Amino acid sequence: NVIVMLKLITSAATMSLLLKRKKKNFALVLFPSVLYAFSGYTMMYYQIAQWLDVYYMFPLLLIGLERMTEGKSNIMYTVCLVLCVLFHFYLSYPVIIFISLYAAAYTVYNYKTAQKFALSFIIGSAIAACISAVILLPCFLQYTDSMRTSSITGTLRSSNFFPSSYTAFPTYFCLAGLLVFTFYYCAKNYRDFKVALFLLSLVPVIIEPIAKAWQTFNYMSFPTRYGFVPITLCLYFAVGGIEQLSKDFAAKPESVAGISDKRARNSVSANNKTAQTETENFFIKFIKGQNIFGKIFYSVLVAVCAILVCRFSVKYYNENGKSLSAFAQTLWGSELSYKGLLVFALFSFLAGAVL
C-alpha cells in the first residue's frame, strides 16, 4: 500500500527531527528513525492506516512541548495537538494523557520557573480544544452512548493484572538492541522529569487495568494502541544514552592520562617522561579511536558484529519466518510467534550490549 509506505517514511522523517535535538550526527539519528518507522507498533497496526497519522505526528508534538519548556512559542504544540485529534479521536486519547503527565511532571520538577510554561500549555491546549471541537464533541458524545462506557468499573475488575504477553510485549521487542543505551541514559539523568515520564509510560505495558485506562478503559483486538508513547521515549533516550556514553568514554582516558602525567613528573626524568607520555597518548588515542589503528580496530569490530547479526537474522527468519509473520498478519500473536520474536529480541539485546 503506497499510502502506508508514505506514512512510514513520514514517521522516520519526523522522528529524525526529534532525535536531531539530542544528537546532530545524522548517521546516529538515521538508524533509530528507521527503527521507529518499522517498529513492532507499525508492523501490527498498519492495518488501520489512520493510526499512522497520529504516529508520525507524535514526535512533532514532543518537539512542540520541548520548545515551550525552552520558553518559545506554543504554536507548534497547538497545531500538532489539533492535527492529532482531527486525525483520530481514539488514538488522541493516550496522547492527551501523555501531554497532561508531561505538563504535570515538568511543573513539579521545575515549580519555581514553570509559570510561563504552564500558562503557554494551558492556552495552547484550550485553543486546540476549541479548534478540534467540531470533531471532538460528536466523537465524545458517540463514545458515551456506546458499549464502551456501559461498565467501566466492571471491565477493570474483570481484567487480569498482567496483559497478554503473546500480543502486548512483541510490540516493544524492536527496542531490544537499544535498551542498554536507554537504561544508561536513565541512570545518568535520573533527575530529569522525562525519565520519570518514561517510567510512567511503562506502567501500562505491565499492568493491564492501567493499560485499559490509557485506552478509554476498553479495547477490542488492539491491546497496545498507546505503544507509540514508550517507543518514542525509549528511542529518544537511547540516542541520548549513546551521546552520554561517548562523552563519558572520552573523558575517562583523559583523567587517567592526567594522573599518569602527574606520576611521571614525580618519578622519572624528562626524557623518560616524554617517551612514557607518547606511549600513553598512543593507547589513549587507540582506545578513543582517534588514530588510524583505533579506527581500523573499531571498524573491524563493528563489521564483524554486523555480519554476525545479519547471518543470524537471515538464518533465523528462514527457519521461523512463518511463525514470526503471524504477529503482523493477524491482530493477535501466538505462543509460537511470541517465542520466536523473544529469541530474536534477546539476541538483539546482547548485540546492542556488545556494541
Side-chain angles (χ1 to χ4, degrees):
N1 190 304
V2 176
I3 299 299
V4 171
M5 291 304 301
L6 290 175
K7 290 182 179 182
L8 295 180
I9 293 172
T10 305
S11 300
T14 56
M15 189 62 180
S16 67
L17 294 177
L18 174 64
L19 296 181
K20 286 181 73 174
R21 295 175 63 86
K22 271 290 183 189
K23 187 71 174 177
K24 300 299 182 181
N25 189 330
F26 176 76
L28 182 59
V29 169
L30 180 61
F31 173 72
S33 300
V34 175
L35 181 59
Y36 182 74
F38 295 97
S39 66
Y41 188 90
T42 57
M43 291 300 99
M44 184 172 185
Y45 297 142
Y46 73 91
Q47 303 168 69
I48 307 178
Q50 296 91 335
W51 287 19
L52 298 180
D53 294 323
V54 178
Y55 188 74
Y56 66 69
M57 285 300 304
F58 187 66
L60 298 180
L61 182 66
L62 276 179
I63 295 176
L65 286 169
E66 286 192 347
R67 285 173 56 84
M68 287 195 297
T69 62
E70 297 167 356
K72 298 179 181 178
S73 171
N74 62 359
I75 294 177
M76 184 175 183
Y77 161 76
T78 304
V79 172
C80 292
L81 183 57
V82 169
L83 291 177
C84 285
V85 176
L86 295 180
F87 283 154
H88 204 280
F89 167 75
Y90 281 114
L91 211 59
S92 63
Y93 181 83
V95 171
I96 293 173
I97 292 178
F98 171 78
I99 62 175
S100 301
L101 292 174
Y102 186 102
Y106 180 81
T107 303
V108 170
Y109 275 70
N110 305 274
Y111 63 93
K112 293 183 179 180
T113 59
Q115 292 83 357
K116 183 177 180 180
F117 167 81
L119 181 62
S120 181
F121 176 81
I122 293 172
I123 293 175
S125 300
I127 294 174
C130 292
I131 295 175
S132 59
V134 64
I135 296 293
L136 194 62
L137 291 179
C139 289
F140 179 75
L141 293 175
Q142 186 180 28
Y143 165 74
T144 55
D145 291 336
S146 68
M147 293 293 293
R148 290 177 179 269
T149 57
S150 59
S151 181
I152 293 178
T153 56
T155 300
L156 294 178
R157 288 175 182 174
S158 61
S159 299
N160 296 323
F161 187 79
F162 298 107
S164 173
S165 58
Y166 292 163
T167 302
F169 294 160
T171 307
Y172 312 104
F173 282 169
C174 58
L175 305 172
L178 296 175
L179 281 179
V180 173
F181 304 108
T182 301
F183 294 154
Y184 187 83
Y185 180 87
C186 292
K188 283 288 186 177
N189 302 272
Y190 62 92
R191 295 184 178 179
D192 187 351
F193 78 97
K194 294 177 187 175
V195 173
L197 196 63
F198 173 61
L199 297 178
L200 285 175
S201 71
L202 295 180
V203 175
V205 176
I206 57 177
I207 301 179
E208 176 70 359
I210 297 180
K212 287 189 174 182
W214 274 68
Q215 302 176 93
T216 64
F217 296 94
N218 204 339
Y219 63 80
M220 181 65 68
S221 300
F222 305 106
T224 56
R225 66 184 70 193
Y226 60 87
F228 60 90
V229 175
I231 288 175
T232 303
L233 294 178
C234 184
L235 293 175
Y236 183 71
F237 289 151
V239 172
I242 294 173
E243 183 180 21
Q244 182 77 48
L245 188 61
S246 62
K247 289 181 179 179
D248 294 345
F249 184 74
K252 287 180 180 180
E254 291 177 1
S255 61
V256 173
I259 295 173
S260 299
D261 287 344
K262 184 177 180 179
R263 290 177 178 176
R265 285 194 299 268
N266 297 329
S267 61
V268 298
S269 63
N271 292 334
N272 292 336
K273 182 184 70 174
T274 302
Q276 183 178 354
T277 303
E278 290 177 353
T279 304
E280 290 173 351
N281 288 337
F282 173 81
F283 285 108
I284 291 170
K285 290 181 179 180
F286 176 82
I287 294 173
K288 294 167 65 176
Q290 293 181 346
N291 58 25
I292 186 63
F293 299 101
K295 291 178 180 178
I296 293 175
F297 173 77
Y298 285 116
S299 298
V300 172
L301 179 62
V302 171
V304 169
C305 290
I307 292 172
L308 290 176
V309 171
C310 290
R311 290 191 63 181
F312 172 82
S313 302
V314 172
K315 182 179 179 180
Y316 190 77
Y317 183 80
N318 289 336
E319 295 176 355
N320 305 275
K322 188 175 181 180
S323 61
L324 293 175
S325 61
F327 178 72
Q329 292 179 357
T330 63
L331 296 179
W332 295 89
S334 63
E335 182 178 0
L336 189 60
S337 65
Y338 175 75
K339 290 181 178 179
L341 291 169
L342 179 61
V343 170
F344 191 81
L346 292 174
F347 181 81
S348 300
F349 176 80
L350 293 175
V354 171
L355 290 176

